[in-house]
Amino acid sequence: AEFGIYAVCLTLVALADAVIGAAVDMSAVKLASARRVHDEAAALALERLAAFFKLVLSVAIVALVALMARPLSVALFHREAPDVLIVTALTAGGVLLLRSAFLHLQLAQRYREYAAAELFAQSLRVAGILAAIAWFDATVEALAIAALAGTVLAVLAGARLAGWRFRGPAFTAADWREFWPTLRSLSVTLALSALLSRMDLLLLTRWSTIDQVGVFAAAQVLAQIPEMLGWYLAIVYGPRIMPAVARGSLPALMTRVQGVLWVLAAIGVALTLLAVHRFGHWLPERYALAGDALLPLMIGALVGMCALPVTVPYVMFARPNALFLYDLASLPLLLLAYHIGIGAAGAVGAAWV
C-alpha cells in the first residue's frame, strides 16, 4: 500500500510536468529555436518568459492543493495524508523549474551539460529513496520528503550549470503575444494526452485497490525505460525539427531516426518475452503479477519510443489539433476498456488496455 501511494504521488508529479511543463517547454522550443538562429538575446527572453510562467503556475498549484489537501488525499490515497499531497505539489513545482534549466541547455545544444544535470538529478532521487529505506522504513512520508529535498538540490545545481541569469534579456508584451497562441494550442492537446497516458494508474486507484496500484507501478518502472530513451532523443532532435522543415530535410531525418528505433523496439520485445519467461519467478510473491503486466506495458512503451523523438514533436508543432481530436475520440473507448479490464484482472487488465 505504501508503494502504491508513492506511485500515485509520482504520477501526479509526472502529470504536472506533462501538462504544464511539456506545453510550456515545447512552445519555447518551437519559438526560441527559430529565434536563436538570428537573435540569441530574443531567444533568451522567451526562455525567461517560459520559466516565469511556470513559476506563477507552480505557486498557484501549491496554494490550491494546500487548501484542498485533505479531501484530495482521501480520494487519491484512500486515506487522509494531506502532508504527503502538499509535499508532492511542492516537488512538482520544483520539477517544473528544473525543466526550465534543462530547456536552456537543450536549446543551446549543450548535451553533455544536460546529461550531467539529468544524471545528478536522478542520482539525488535514488539516494533519497535509499536513505528513506535505510533510516525511515520507506514510509511514504519519508519518500515524499526525500523526493522534495532531491528536487530542490537539483534545481539549484541545474540553474548553476545552465548559467541561468536573473539579470538578462527581459521579456516583453510582444513576446507574450507570440508565446500565448502557441502555448494555448499545445496545452490543450498535451493536457488530454498526458491524462490518457496516466489514466491507467489513476483509474486503478478508483476502481481497484491500492495494492493493485503498487503491482502496476512495479511493472511500469521497467516499462518506462524505452519511453525515457524516446524523450531523451526528443531533447536532441526537437530543436532540429523546425530548421529541418525549413530546409526540406525532415523526411530524411525521420526515416533515419525511426528506422533505427524500430529495430531496437523489435529487439526490446524479444528481450522482454525472454525475461518474463525465464526470470518472472524471481519477483517477490506479492509482486508476482507485475511480470504479467510488464509485457503489454513494455510493448506499448517501445512503440511510443519510436514516435517520440521526431514524429510526435513535428505533429505537435505542425498540427496540434490532429492529436487532440484523436485523443478525444479515443477517450470514451478507453474508459470503457479500462472499466472492463480493471474489473476483470486489476493491474494486468489495465496493462493490456
Side-chain angles (χ1 to χ4, degrees):
E2 292 288 297
F3 182 66
I5 294 174
Y6 182 60
V8 174
C9 293
L10 293 179
T11 299
L12 294 175
V13 173
L15 273 174
D17 189 27
V19 173
I20 300 172
V24 174
D25 288 350
M26 288 191 72
S27 300
V29 167
K30 179 180 179 180
L31 300 174
S33 59
R35 284 187 177 190
R36 186 173 284 271
V37 176
H38 307 290
D39 190 346
E40 185 174 353
L44 286 172
L46 197 64
E47 289 180 42
R48 291 169 61 81
L49 170 60
F52 179 76
F53 185 74
K54 285 197 285 188
L55 176 61
V56 171
L57 283 182
S58 297
V59 173
I61 289 171
V62 171
L64 184 62
V65 169
L67 289 173
M68 304 178 62
R70 195 172 300 278
L72 281 176
S73 66
V74 173
L76 291 168
F77 306 146
H78 300 178
R79 79 181 198 199
E80 287 192 1
D83 51 343
V84 173
L85 201 55
I86 292 171
V87 171
T88 300
L90 290 169
T91 302
V95 169
L96 292 177
L97 297 178
L98 178 62
R99 295 302 177 193
S100 291
F102 286 177
L103 175 67
H104 176 75
L105 298 174
Q106 177 186 1
L107 288 171
Q109 298 188 24
R110 293 164 55 188
Y111 299 124
R112 289 185 179 179
E113 291 94 331
Y114 189 109
E118 182 70 34
L119 178 62
F120 181 67
Q122 295 300 330
S123 298
L124 287 173
R125 179 182 174 186
V126 173
I129 293 172
L130 293 176
I133 292 173
W135 297 327
F136 301 101
D137 297 326
T139 64
V140 68
E141 290 82 4
L143 290 169
I145 293 173
L148 175 59
T151 302
V152 170
L153 292 174
V155 168
L156 296 175
R160 175 73 175 177
L161 187 60
W164 192 257
R165 297 188 297 272
F166 289 98
R167 295 184 182 274
F171 55 86
T172 64
D175 293 324
W176 174 253
R177 286 194 295 270
E178 182 182 3
F179 184 71
W180 172 244
T182 302
L183 174 63
R184 183 177 56 195
S185 62
L186 288 177
S187 61
V188 174
T189 300
L190 284 171
L192 182 57
S193 178
L195 180 62
L196 290 179
S197 68
R198 305 291 173 177
M199 190 166 58
D200 40 24
L201 196 143
L202 294 176
L203 291 179
L204 270 171
T205 66
R206 300 303 303 160
W207 294 341
S208 188
T209 65
I210 202 70
D211 289 331
Q212 285 293 307
V213 173
V215 168
F216 185 90
Q220 199 174 46
V221 169
L222 294 176
Q224 284 178 337
I225 295 174
E227 182 181 357
M228 291 177 64
L229 175 60
W231 280 117
Y232 287 141
L233 289 174
I235 290 166
V236 174
Y237 288 104
R240 304 180 186 183
I241 291 174
M242 298 310 292
V245 171
R247 293 191 304 267
S249 59
L250 182 64
L253 175 66
M254 190 175 295
T255 300
R256 184 171 67 251
V257 174
Q258 290 191 277
V260 174
L261 290 177
W262 279 116
V263 173
L264 292 177
I267 296 173
V269 171
L271 291 176
T272 304
L273 286 169
L274 178 64
V276 170
H277 178 69
R278 295 293 300 272
F279 306 113
H281 62 280
W282 289 8
L283 291 170
E285 183 178 352
R286 63 183 303 181
Y287 290 111
L289 289 176
D292 297 329
L294 176 60
L295 178 59
L297 287 176
M298 185 64 79
I299 292 173
L302 288 166
V303 172
M305 175 190 72
C306 297
L308 281 172
V310 180
T311 304
V312 171
Y314 170 71
V315 175
M316 290 299 303
F317 293 158
R319 297 186 61 189
N321 289 338
L323 283 178
F324 174 76
L325 293 175
Y326 172 80
D327 288 339
L328 188 63
S330 65
L331 178 59
L333 297 176
L334 284 172
L335 286 172
L336 177 61
Y338 276 121
H339 185 71
I340 296 171
I342 292 173
V348 177
W352 278 107
V353 174

